[in-house]
Amino acid sequence: MSFTTPPRPFDVTALFPQLAPLARTATRLHPRPGSPTVHDSSVGGPLLWPAHEPWPHCDEPHDSGAASAVRSPDDIRLLRRIRAASAERLHLDPEAPEWTSEELETLQRLKADRPWFDGRIPLLPVAQLYARDIPFPRPPGVDLLQVLWCPFDHAEHPHPRTALFWRSSATVVDVLDAPPEPPIVQDGSYLPEPCLFSPEQVTDFPHPRELDEELRDQLDDMSRWESIAPAQYISYADDPGELYLGSLSTAPGWKTGGWTSWGDIDPVDRPCPECGTEEVPLLTIASSEWDGISESWIAEQDRTTPAPPPLGARDGRYTLIDIVGGYNLQLHVCPADPSHPHIELVQ
């Protein structure tokens, strides 16, 4: 299914002409559960990985204090299937038992702590993007981006550490059939549910904190909003800036390009560690496709014919990824040379 973002409530550049030159194209990815192959753009799917190339591992120390929360990837997948079966059973018959005796036995077994693992952790596939499907900044001759991560928080970086691999897909002849998996992962939050993308280009405008002071003041001018869109404005009379933030600026959810979303911290410079060029948004890995103030971005198809969500999905949490309690992990790359070291930003 293709997914379509509803039109914005109105043309914000008609009210604030200064925004027009700041418009950027972003590509909303609309991940939805599926069965991707190595030839698909996907979340958590198999990668077009050369058979002769070593699989990457994380050598950093991991916090053994989280040992009680770790599970094997297979145990997490089994737990998800059991919960999904229970939800389907109750949907068909509200009087049915929540758990079968076999499910209860399995759930009890899964509660047992897993042994801690001190070795090198194989990275997990997070996303694969083919340029034929999705535009993204890339080095010359590259048409494939692969994103992997270590499925643990890290001491100095309390989120998964990512690794980027750039490829020409035509050069990959022999594909690795069975890449290694981590023996344990952190509580399932960093084990993506396999999803396919439905890319859609939209227009992004800067987060309010990236605007100059004069334009921010105009965003707070209630009379400006009343003059063009009283119907949309009235719900935001106490805070008209929230209308801009939630419905008119940065698109939520998984996306490439566009503008950076800011949350708990003010905008900071993102110079390339190698050449100093300001890095630009590459990929937003989102915990959710929307939140309480961005519901106007919910795809038309989700409003009219919503698909049954995967286990635990709410507010568009289709990938079952949870970045540090619901945040986004935004990857930025150097526009001068995307192969330079990238920057991670959690917001």
Side-chain angles (χ1 to χ4, degrees):
M1 178 182 291
S2 296
F3 291 86
T4 308
T5 299
R8 296 302 78 209
F10 57 88
D11 179 8
V12 70
T13 62
L15 183 57
F16 304 102
Q18 307 96 310
L19 286 171
L22 302 178
R24 289 182 182 175
T25 297
T27 302
R28 298 192 72 192
L29 301 181
H30 297 298
R32 297 295 187 274
S35 300
T37 72
V38 298
H39 302 294
D40 293 314
S41 297
S42 67
V43 173
L47 304 182
L48 189 76
W49 193 272
H52 62 82
E53 185 174 324
W55 191 261
H57 289 66
C58 178
D59 296 311
E60 295 186 21
H62 302 94
D63 182 11
S64 61
S68 62
V70 301
R71 296 286 182 269
S72 73
D74 283 343
D75 280 354
I76 292 168
R77 295 181 184 114
L78 176 56
L79 180 60
R80 289 175 179 176
R81 290 198 299 271
I82 290 173
R83 289 179 174 169
S86 173
E88 177 66 14
R89 185 167 55 249
L90 292 172
H91 174 71
L92 296 174
D93 179 8
E95 302 301 321
E98 182 177 9
W99 312 110
T100 67
S101 58
E102 294 82 2
E103 289 169 346
L104 283 172
E105 183 178 341
T106 303
L107 291 172
Q108 191 62 35
R109 177 180 63 80
L110 294 178
K111 286 182 179 179
D113 290 348
R114 296 284 300 186
W116 184 250
F117 178 77
D118 279 323
R120 303 170 70 225
I121 298 289
L123 301 192
L124 272 176
V126 179
Q128 176 166 266
L129 308 181
Y130 281 92
R132 65 168 188 259
D133 304 322
I134 300 163
F136 56 87
R138 61 189 192 274
V142 164
D143 70 338
L144 179 61
L145 168 63
Q146 295 167 330
V147 182
L148 297 89
W149 68 19
C150 175
F152 284 90
D153 292 336
H154 296 76
E156 296 184 3
H157 304 272
H159 57 78
R161 298 303 305 275
T162 56
L164 307 184
F165 294 85
W166 308 88
R167 303 192 187 282
S168 168
S169 60
T171 65
V172 183
V173 179
D174 297 321
V175 180
L176 182 64
D177 289 331
E181 274 202 332
I184 53 175
V185 301
Q186 184 173 309
D187 73 18
S189 297
Y190 301 148
L191 180 67
E193 184 73 6
C195 290
L196 292 164
F197 291 129
S198 176
E200 176 202 19
Q201 291 193 336
V202 298
T203 300
D204 249 18
F205 291 100
H207 186 282
R209 294 183 190 174
E210 296 221 65
L211 302 175
D212 60 42
E213 184 176 358
E214 179 182 357
L215 192 45
R216 289 199 304 271
D217 288 342
Q218 291 180 13
L219 286 175
D220 290 331
D221 184 349
M222 293 182 287
S223 64
R224 299 277 299 249
W225 293 100
E226 288 177 314
S227 68
I228 189 170
Q232 287 84 5
Y233 159 82
I234 196 65
S235 299
Y236 299 87
D238 293 332
D239 186 6
E242 188 174 304
L243 173 57
Y244 174 77
L245 175 62
S247 297
L248 303 169
S249 58
T250 55
W254 282 70
K255 68 179 181 180
T256 58
W259 284 88
T260 303
S261 297
W262 299 95
D264 292 340
I265 65 172
D266 288 329
V268 295
D269 293 334
R270 286 138 286 160
C272 171
E274 188 160 323
C275 70
T277 304
E278 183 76 0
E279 297 209 348
V280 298
L282 169 66
L283 173 67
T284 298
I285 300 170
S287 295
S288 175
E289 288 299 285
W290 62 83
D291 59 22
I293 70 167
S294 59
E295 292 181 348
S296 72
W297 293 91
I298 297 174
E300 298 278 13
Q301 293 75 14
D302 284 325
R303 298 170 185 271
T304 56
T305 56
L311 172 65
R314 55 185 177 81
D315 297 338
R317 297 175 184 263
Y318 296 103
T319 66
L320 299 186
I321 288 174
D322 186 356
I323 304 293
V324 199
Y327 287 84
N328 297 333
L329 177 58
Q330 300 173 83
L331 308 183
H332 295 71
V333 293
C334 175
D337 187 344
S339 66
H340 286 175
H342 68 287
I343 293 174
E344 301 169 336
L345 180 69
V346 174
Q347 287 288 300

